Amino acid sequence: MAPSSHSNSRPALANAWHTLNVEKTLLELSTNAETGLTTQQVEERLQQYGSNELEETAGRSSWEILLDQFKNIMLVMLIVVAIISGVLDLIALQQGSSEGGVPFKDTIAIMAIVILNGILGYLQESRAEKALAALKRLSSPKVRVLRDGKPIEIDGKQLVPGDIMLLEAGVQVSADARLIEASNLQIREAALTGEAQAVTKQVDTQLQEETPLGDRVNLVYQGTEVVHGRGTAIVTGTGMRTELGKIAEMLQAVESEPTPLQQRMTQLGNVLVTGSLVLVALVVVGGMLKSYLDTARFDGGVLQELVEVSLSMAVAVVPEGLPAVITVTLALGTQRMVRRNALIRKLPAVETLGSVTTICSDKTGTLTQNKMVVQQLATVEQRFSVTGEGYTPRGEFKIDNQAIRAEQYPELQTLLIACVVCNDAVLQQDLPKSQENGTGKGKPNSADEWIILGDPTEGALLSLAGKSGLEKDSLSRQLKRVGEFPFSSERKRMSVICQGRTQNVAQHAQDTPFVMFTKGSPELILERCKTYQQGNTVKSLTDTQRQQILEQNNQMAGAGLRVLGFAYKPLESVPPDASEDSTERELVWLGLVGMLDAPRTEVRDAVARCRDAGIRPIMITGDHQLTAQAIAQSLGIAKEGDRVLTGQELQRLSQEELEQEVGNVNIYARVSPEHKLRIVKALQSRGEFTAMTGDGVNDAPALKQADIGIAMGITGTDVSKEASDMVLLDDNFATIVAATEEGRVVYTNIRRFIKYILGSNIGEVLVIAAAPIIGLGGVPLTPLQILWMNLVTDGLPALALAVEPPEPDVMKRPPFSPRESIFAKGLGSYMVRIGIVFSIITIALMVWAYNHTHAAGYQGDKDTWKTMVFTTLCIAQMGHALAVRSISRLVIQVNPFSNPYLLWAVVVTTALQLALVYVPPLQNFFGTHYLNLTELAICLGFSSLLFVWVEMEKLFFRFYFSRRRA
């Protein structure tokens, strides 16, 4: 897909080839149907139009993606800190004033963290966009064409407009083309249009310009597949001027926006770094001013000490472990979602799901079972409803909600026989291997899946008959098929002639050797009927009864059902071929059968959960609007009387007008995949955070444009999957809702551990800043110790908080606003408040410990006070981790074993902290000192005060809000 240098100068070809006849098309493209193009013409057109390849715009290289990671403001600050720390260590080393240990250990540790965070960011962003590669795979590598009067085989990329392309069953179409000859040519265009049925192509047809893509029966498209017949076509578009090219262009025009989490992390970094720099400036200026006032001169030693304090503050303010914790949290979220049949392709999409306000879903297979199920039957005298799910032949026949037996109604039984014998499908049970015995026959199991071989509509008829005990195998032996008049789009019906007798038809039919059963369009079959069956007799059809049947047909169709009419006729002999018009007359009317692609049983509850969670479900389908309305109303997506917007109406709306409409429309019918992109953009312009489902190639731009693109795992094309953020492994709407719930849980847990981590970071910064201001000698914490706290003491409990189970009301509250600040809903005030409390507790301990270790007669190292400060900060965070699990419930009210990982994290982190204090090699590396039991007990006592404060806060707010409500 290398870009061509001719792209700017290539002429645009007309895109309304379906409106032209063959002669006009040949004239426009200056070609000959008999001989094709000459070699010279081909060379000229290759220069003019370029290769038949999809062109890819230049994206970021891997190096650019990697370098972009280090433009993050927090990492930039850490890099500066590492450089300054290294310079100070180098100066100390040259002056011989280094205290021993590993040189440059702070610089090495900080740079290691910077590189690790850069790599994590790179791995998230560097996944190559493969949607265009998947599009390119739809192009056929070889194609047969006519050139210089001879058929030859060439590379698909050598095709040019005007080439005469030869098509036959099994080949992929290599370019867009206008047919000039077709013999029973059928092409599967599902990848492009979403329609599973192969399209029968016609040559001598001129269409209106606004004819939808799927109805342009005189054109063929690149990437589609010839399934039957043969044909010849003039190439009208190659490369980026094909329908696939338009999709590639739309895909590349969609710009990737940062996810809400990425925007919030950027905001967090800006706030932290800005706050840190302000505080560093205050400390340095204040410290130097105090030194000048005390000594009447600027002291270089004081400046160096203040710079060291500033370095520690800068390291303390950056939550170095946060990117890793977030990445692990998102990865754990993807694992939970896979268990719920949602495969996450792009890691940030896990959290993004928590902000979804609108879910735009396909109907077929996502909201419905993708299985036709008969819902209603109507004879002249009676109407029946039918229960059951899918193709399983189990259910009841009912009249006015009262169960009946089908054999009590002979006309119903005859109708069911017609459903079986006038049928080419096969219904069979898909038995698992564990259910197969030694004879090779499966044992029936109610949990097994029933599948259809053949047309789903005919499969639904077999399932219907099975509910009354009629099986195709036994009936086929009883009524052997000896002839048929196959279905055609002109006749809109089919008939089968059977030899044999059955007691379920009327008496006069039992006296003839043959019976013809007919099914098809109700109106057309009714026209050919003179009588109807009632019981075991046949009666004449009156005009009133005909009108009644047509009204029943309209009622069923109005309820979104697909309706078929059935009839039969006794015959004395097998009619000759091509006598269908004369034979299919004077039929006996049996009745109407209405079927529907029934809604999935779990989707109604999923839609209700969406409503409770403040999420708006929208149905987008290519199906008829009455069918869409019926399904949407039964699922609770729409109410009776709600507006349905069709594709034709949408086509006439400008984008501004569509933006006005989308707020009031929950059903879009007869919509082509390219309309989805407009719908997504219109919803996003209104501030909606949109999830969009799709399975076809044409859906790819809309999936990429949506905030969450959701591809179908079973029916989806590779292109749609590559363009998506998430793949539904079961193609089920309920899975989207389950994934949304997981997204909310993930974001809630991210907020929880950010609150935990940054509360302590603010406390650390204030403690470090306070030391020189209150006149204590030296920096209480080294950069290495701060990194330990931020990565281990904060990191392990934060990871445990990331798997906190969901709160009961997670799907009872509105979605998180994508524009919401990371500090919203009290998180910012909590961090500042806890940070201040944390610092006050620790500063009080620091002052006592400094005086204690500098008192006359103290036996230990005078810098032991720093280890006490370090230990207090670390242990206090353990109590904070336990308390932060719930905003309102006390620790004793929360089941401690609902998150055992947190208990283990607290125990392990406490043990590691004590190891730093009491294991000599770790003492030397981290610069700690031995604490006696009294000093350790005082550290533990001060540490527990933060836990007590947080728990007291919960009681206060509980009392305060209960008083306000009262």
Side-chain angles (χ1 to χ4, degrees), residues 151 218 580:
N218 54 9
E580 56 264 36

Side-chain angles (χ1 to χ4, degrees), residues 601-620:
T601 52
E602 65 274 23
V603 169
R604 173 175 277 279
D605 289 339
V607 169
R609 293 187 72 205
C610 276
R611 299 283 189 200
D612 290 343
I615 301 170
R616 178 183 166 209
I618 291 176
M619 176 194 287
I620 301 178

